[in-house]
Amino acid sequence: MKLLEYQSKAILSKAGLPVPESIHVTSHSEVSDALKKVSFTRGVVKAQAFTGGRGKAGGIKLFVSPEEAENYAREIIGMQLVTHQTGSEGVKVYSALLEKAGTGLKEFYLAILLDRTKVNPLIMISPDGGVDIEEVAEKTPDRILRLYPEYGKPVSEELKTKAADFLNLTGELKKQLGDIIQKLYDVYLQRDASLIEINPLALTDDNKLELLDCKFDIDDNAIFRQKESGGDPNAEKNEAEIEASKYGMSYISLDGNIGCMVNGAGLAMATMDSIKHNGGEPANFLDVGGSATEEAVTKAFDIISGDHAVKCILVNIFGGIMKCDTIANGIVAAVKKSGLKLPLVVRLEGTNVDIGKKIIEESGLNIISAENLDDAARKTVSVTK
Amino acid sequence: MAILVDKNTKLITQGITGKAGLFHTKRCNEYGTNVVGGVNPKKAGTKIEGFPVFGNVKDAVKETGANTSMIFVPAPFAADAIIEAADAGIRLIVAITEGIPVRDMFGVHEYLKKSDSILVGPNCPGITTADVAKVGIAPGFIHKKGKVGIVSRSGTLTYEAVHQTTLSGLGQTTAVGIGGDPIHGLNHIDVIKMFNDDPETEAIVLIGEIGGNDEEEAAEYIKSNVNKPVAAFIAGSSAPKGKRMGHAGAIISGSKGTAESKIKALQDAGVMVALTAADIGHQMCLALRERTGKCHCNRTEDCKY
């Protein structure tokens, strides 16, 4: 689950980390009142949306008066923001953050994330802030420092010194950096973050370090205990994706025209791969879960056929614990119930597969049976061409 | 022989009184696994469908000599359940539970460093030694005693590989599902080492997916240490970047964890890589034939080699 900048900064500020003074507004009409509650009248209006690269895309505007701030807020809130990180359709701007603007002398990069190979949190630091870190990693990998704090202990003085040396910070600034790293690491653990990226971490003209922008992702498996973060687990999902999740199914919309319904995440990916391998384009990833019940299958048909680009549906079920005849009955009932008109290719495998296939053949429905996954993919692709 | 699970396995289920826990405990028992009981602190001293229920893992071990535990405890409590099992001296812990927070798994990982216990999973289908015993949720009937060892991050793709090697007549020694989470117990490389050392296992199937670099590490190991023929499949070559494909671990971040990089590493190590999941069994036949000079499967007319 991703947090918006204002939600992340509320968490950082609460943890005692130095973030610029700011106030959040959900409508332009709140701007003039909001600015009365803060110490600044000049600053930036920042679009709250799930993307980086907002500045260059017109999502961050400098203002020198409350009127100007209000105008920018009116312009920004509700718009589709297109940046180099989004597709051409852009992402929705939910609200705006009014923030005091400082003068940055230098911009650094600081992030904490999971290193899967080392099974350890990783603190990543670079003197080249304000730019895409992946670009830095590719072009000048020696400009990135990786630190691994020891489990169950505070970040060691040794690591903090390494970080300060790498950024050429001494004295008071070295102390500030050490403090920031420690507090951010505490937040990372306590808030079940999977990524906190501070870019940039700015050195201001009054010789202070300040966290100017923040990307904050919370581990999806820990949302149940991180509700106070204010994040919305469905914020980045479309309606169909939200609907699927209510039924315990995992659904992701894609750009193709072949709908897929599969049990198991690995097999669902493999099904998409087979479609592509045979020259087709999958319209979605859909894992109906280990026990494909009739209710889930019916719902899955509704969701897939709700995507008007879909021309054909491929059902690929490996009946393990669930028997194929039960699944076949479920598919037939679901097709009848949902009045599905699209051609349907079904590949069943597992317990009682022969009975299952017979049920489908005798249903009188327009269902094409497939022998294996490749056969299913080929048949589906040929139907759509 | 086989690996991890055999006739000496004495299994308990943590979370035996839940619907899924009980269902799969019964299936394991039917398959031939020696199920000696289960754990639920609130129902200690009772029996459920004939299985004795203990208040904690230590008591279960003391009373039954259990050496293996299967975990169905809900995600918020599952990490504690794993640690409890390790603390009680359980040798093999198989965590089926899906959705354990990463932070909790840090703790588990750290604890297991100081322990002799082996963890498989979480978010995995478990382990089946064909015709001998199973610990987990895999459908038993698709397995057939034979010569292929299977290791996989995905449940249903494990079943695909098992099914295809059964059809071809090769059969399996043991199939191990290591799970789809970013932090898990045994990795591909650990299981491949075990298969390499197991005299009954003559060939290996590795099934991976996008995300992380388990498969690349396994490929390095295979290249310099494994003489047995290996076939592989990597799921997710068509997956878009940055989207989590069902499994928490199946996500391409930046340029890391792509199917391409994994396939290339495996091919460089001499592994026969299937380009679609339907071709896994066939690639295993080819790999065996290439190594031994003769066909081992019972569908020679289908072999395109």
Side-chain angles (χ1 to χ4, degrees), chain B residues 57-59 61 66 83-90 111:
Chain B
V57 183
K58 272 210 172 94
D59 287 352
V61 170
I83 290 173
E84 184 192 342
D87 195 40
I90 291 284
Y111 190 90

Side-chain angles (χ1 to χ4, degrees), chain A residues 140-197:
Chain A
T140 48
D142 56 318
R143 303 277 287 171
I144 295 177
L145 176 71
R146 290 178 170 79
L147 302 172
Y148 294 94
E150 201 178 328
Y151 179 82
K153 289 184 182 164
V155 182
S156 70
E157 287 308 316
E158 189 198 339
L159 293 189
K160 287 178 187 169
T161 301
K162 273 189 187 166
D165 290 349
F166 196 68
L167 298 183
N168 257 324
L169 299 177
T170 54
E172 174 57 24
L173 284 173
K174 179 181 170 177
K175 224 179 106 194
Q176 277 185 38
L177 180 72
D179 192 46
I180 286 170
I181 290 174
Q182 183 59 53
K183 283 180 174 156
L184 203 63
Y185 182 59
D186 292 342
V187 168
Y188 175 85
L189 292 176
Q190 282 159 12
R191 300 292 184 147
D192 281 299
S194 48
L195 168 75
I196 305 179
E197 187 181 58

Side-chain angles (χ1 to χ4, degrees), chain B residues 19 22 26 33 51 60 63-64 66 81 89 130 132 147 210 240 268:
Chain B
K19 194 178 157 203
L22 182 61
K26 283 157 72 181
T33 316
F51 302 114
E63 297 296 322
T64 67
V132 178
K147 51 184 82 167
I210 52 167
D268 286 350

Side-chain angles (χ1 to χ4, degrees), chain A residues 140-313:
Chain A
T140 48
D142 56 318
R143 303 277 287 171
I144 295 177
L145 176 71
R146 290 178 170 79
L147 302 172
Y148 294 94
E150 201 178 328
Y151 179 82
K153 289 184 182 164
V155 182
S156 70
E157 287 308 316
E158 189 198 339
L159 293 189
K160 287 178 187 169
T161 301
K162 273 189 187 166
D165 290 349
F166 196 68
L167 298 183
N168 257 324
L169 299 177
T170 54
E172 174 57 24
L173 284 173
K174 179 181 170 177
K175 224 179 106 194
Q176 277 185 38
L177 180 72
D179 192 46
I180 286 170
I181 290 174
Q182 183 59 53
K183 283 180 174 156
L184 203 63
Y185 182 59
D186 292 342
V187 168
Y188 175 85
L189 292 176
Q190 282 159 12
R191 300 292 184 147
D192 281 299
S194 48
L195 168 75
I196 305 179
E197 187 181 58
I198 306 298
N199 192 16
L201 169 69
L203 173 60
T204 62
D205 55 0
D206 53 354
N207 218 33
K208 281 195 176 110
L209 289 172
E210 213 168 36
L211 289 63
L212 289 196
D213 196 9
C214 178
K215 200 175 156 191
F216 202 122
D217 295 357
I218 289 178
D219 176 8
D220 286 338
N221 288 350
I223 290 174
F224 70 91
R225 63 186 180 202
Q226 295 298 346
K227 295 209 170 102
E228 62 181 292
S229 66
D232 173 7
N234 290 331
E236 283 198 292
K237 292 182 185 153
N238 63 30
E239 260 173 59
E241 289 169 352
I242 294 170
E243 192 61 20
S245 67
K246 284 184 198 158
Y247 289 81
M249 300 187 279
S250 169
Y251 173 87
I252 297 165
S253 315
L254 301 166
D255 296 333
N257 58 9
I258 298 173
C260 314
M261 179 185 347
V262 190
N263 65 333
L267 193 58
M269 269 190 277
T271 304
M272 287 165 42
D273 296 345
S274 272
I275 290 171
K276 211 145 187 172
H277 187 76
N278 284 287
E281 283 294 333
N284 65 279
F285 166 95
L286 174 58
D287 173 8
V288 288
S291 55
T293 61
E294 186 185 319
E295 197 199 3
V297 171
T298 307
K299 194 70 216 173
F301 278 130
D302 283 350
I303 290 170
I304 295 172
S305 52
D307 175 353
H308 298 298
V310 171
K311 286 190 180 157
C312 177
I313 300 177

